Amino acid sequence: MERLLNNPWLLGFLLALVLALAIEAGQKVASRARIQENANRKDQMTAIRDGLFVLLSLLLGFTLALAAPRYAERRSLLIEEANAIGTAYLRAGTLPQSYRGQAQQLLRQYVDARLDFDNAGLDPMRLAEASNRSKAILEQLWEGVTEVSKVDRTAILATYINSLNEIIDLHQKRIAALEYRIPVPIWFLIISVSLIAVFARGLTLAARFWLTLVIAPLTIAIVVALIADLDTPSSGLILLDQRAMLRLKADINTPH
């Protein structure tokens, strides 16, 4: 299931096919049970169908309300991280000459590591490598400022340490934000209700019509795929905008 959720539009395509088959199965069951010939049965199935689609709409709306803020939070954290790195880079320029160049060079490498992390997609090796490289650079930055603090305890150094602390905090927050996703049981609930709802739709069909097999399954599948795409920042069509980090990279690599 996790593999499908990491490929949201493949999930949508497969879901559309399964839902179309469910409508077809419902129509065949209705034909054999002669539901259309019995007004009482038809009314009951129509009421059940309408109730199920209302429930499905509420579930999709609730899940979208979960996914959209999480996507916005990930985007906000990326911008905050870019700003924090830029501030730390500027403050590093006020440090003693013996440490200034090393700190700024490490911050340039850190930006590259963060871009690699965001561009790794679903490749676990690339993700792990970029994450480990980021941690190693942060450790080097912290070791360096620890050495400087032994001989320099000015307010300028304190402001740089605050910026470095913020970068470390944002590193952890961004990893947590990537791991914080819609629980799998909710996806199982949505898919299960979708199947039951479209099956009930098939039970209320008097005759097969190809457009009926397409409209409802395709609509549901597109909404589900869109929600899964918002919830999967490393793949799909909706990716995190990297322009803030790219602008930072251009700025700190431009000779002054």
Side-chain angles (χ1 to χ4, degrees):
M1 185 64 183
E2 184 177 353
R3 181 175 296 181
L4 283 177
L5 292 174
N6 288 335
N7 295 275
W9 295 99
L10 174 60
L11 171 65
F13 174 75
L14 295 176
L15 182 61
L17 290 180
V18 173
L19 293 180
L21 292 175
I23 287 186
E24 175 71 9
Q27 196 278 326
K28 288 184 177 180
V29 170
S31 178
R32 292 180 181 178
R34 298 183 178 181
I35 292 177
Q36 299 299 322
E37 299 175 10
N38 188 312
N40 187 38
R41 291 182 180 179
K42 183 179 179 180
D43 290 343
Q44 291 181 41
M45 291 310 307
T46 300
I48 292 173
R49 177 202 65 191
D50 294 344
L52 286 169
F53 273 100
V54 169
L55 175 60
L56 178 61
S57 299
L58 291 173
L59 284 173
L60 290 174
F62 168 75
T63 311
L64 181 59
L66 286 178
R70 292 178 182 182
Y71 174 79
E73 180 187 5
R74 295 183 186 109
R75 182 177 57 186
S76 176
L77 287 173
L78 187 149
I79 295 172
E80 286 182 33
E81 184 177 45
N83 290 337
I85 297 171
T87 300
Y89 185 85
L90 292 175
R91 289 176 176 175
T94 64
L95 297 177
Q97 183 65 40
S98 58
Y99 179 64
R100 181 186 309 167
Q102 177 191 2
Q104 290 184 327
Q105 180 60 30
L106 286 172
L107 287 169
R108 292 190 195 98
Q109 295 175 10
Y110 187 73
V111 171
D112 291 334
R114 300 311 287 161
L115 283 169
D116 290 343
F117 180 81
D118 289 321
N119 294 327
L122 300 174
D123 188 334
M125 293 185 64
R126 287 184 60 192
L127 279 171
E129 192 276 333
S131 180
N132 292 335
R133 185 149 55 98
S134 298
K135 292 177 183 177
I137 293 172
L138 289 175
E139 289 174 0
Q140 291 180 60
L141 285 166
W142 191 255
E143 289 172 1
V145 79
T146 300
E147 291 298 320
V148 174
S149 65
K150 294 178 181 179
V151 295
D152 186 349
R153 296 182 178 273
T154 62
I156 292 177
L157 181 63
T159 59
Y160 172 74
I161 291 176
N162 288 337
S163 295
L164 194 55
N165 278 329
E166 187 177 1
I167 292 174
I168 295 171
D169 290 343
L170 285 168
H171 175 266
Q172 296 300 326
K173 286 180 180 179
R174 289 201 62 202
I175 292 177
L178 291 176
E179 297 171 344
Y180 185 44
R181 299 177 62 183
I182 295 171
V184 173
I186 292 180
W187 289 113
F188 277 119
L189 178 61
I190 290 174
I191 293 172
S192 299
V193 174
S194 299
L195 285 170
I196 298 170
V198 297
F199 180 77
R201 174 72 180 108
L203 291 174
T204 60
L205 294 177
R208 179 193 298 171
F209 179 43
W210 70 269
L211 200 56
T212 307
L213 301 177
V214 174
I215 293 178
L218 187 61
T219 302
I220 295 171
I222 289 174
V223 174
V224 169
L226 174 63
I227 296 171
D229 204 341
L230 283 171
D231 196 49
T232 311
S234 299
S235 64
L237 302 178
I238 305 174
L239 301 174
L240 289 177
D241 192 339
Q242 299 293 323
R243 283 180 292 181
M245 198 68 75
L246 290 171
R247 282 196 299 269
L248 172 63
K249 179 179 179 178
D251 289 342
I252 65 178
N253 282 287
T254 300
H256 296 286

